[in-house]
Amino acid sequence: MNKNKSLSNKYLALEIVGKGAFGEVYKAIKINTMKEVAMKIEKKDIKNPRLYQEYLIYKKIRDNGCVFGIPKIYEYITVNDYNILTLVLLGNSLEELFVKIFSHFSQIIL
């Protein structure tokens, strides 16, 4: 999927923030609220789709009262050739933090 592309008149993908074997993660905007979200996308035709299972796991954990460390999920939708999971947009990925502090997590003071 290309950035700055609208999906189903609901979301506008702004920039890619991660990708891997599972698919891609975009910083996006929900068009009707202009709220920034993270949008995980996978093609429907991949061999082992994972986003719906991820959605169910997050939902079950949060529904059971555990919210610390679990991202807020907005929705799981299927649009055209994609499965899409939208969730709260968090900060830097672990990889970005690792690179930012010169590949030494031991330098982080909690």
Side-chain angles (χ1 to χ4, degrees), residues 33-49:
T33 64
M34 298 305 288
K35 182 174 182 136
E36 287 187 342
V37 299
M39 183 170 66
K40 295 181 94 170
I41 298 174
E42 70 180 3
K43 284 212 167 235
K44 275 191 200 179
D45 62 357
I46 64 171
K47 188 175 181 178
N48 295 310

Side-chain angles (χ1 to χ4, degrees), residues 18-34:
K19 66 181 181 175
F22 61 88
E24 299 173 331
V25 181
Y26 288 84
K27 178 179 180 181
I29 291 180
K30 186 169 184 179
I31 294 171
N32 67 341
T33 64
M34 298 305 288

Side-chain angles (χ1 to χ4, degrees), residues 31-98:
I31 294 171
N32 67 341
T33 64
M34 298 305 288
K35 182 174 182 136
E36 287 187 342
V37 299
M39 183 170 66
K40 295 181 94 170
I41 298 174
E42 70 180 3
K43 284 212 167 235
K44 275 191 200 179
D45 62 357
I46 64 171
K47 188 175 181 178
N48 295 310
R50 296 184 177 151
L51 280 184
Y52 186 67
Q53 292 301 316
E54 183 177 342
Y55 164 75
L56 292 176
I57 291 167
Y58 284 148
K59 184 169 177 8
K60 187 168 189 167
I61 292 170
R62 289 187 66 90
D63 288 351
N64 285 315
C66 181
V67 294
F68 182 74
I70 306 299
K72 181 177 181 181
I73 300 301
Y74 296 122
E75 68 180 328
Y76 173 85
I77 58 176
T78 301
V79 177
N80 301 327
D81 296 331
Y82 299 100
N83 298 321
I84 300 168
L85 177 62
T86 57
L87 53 154
V88 66
L89 181 63
L90 300 173
N92 293 340
S93 70
L94 286 175
E95 182 180 7
E96 290 168 330
L97 290 173
F98 191 68

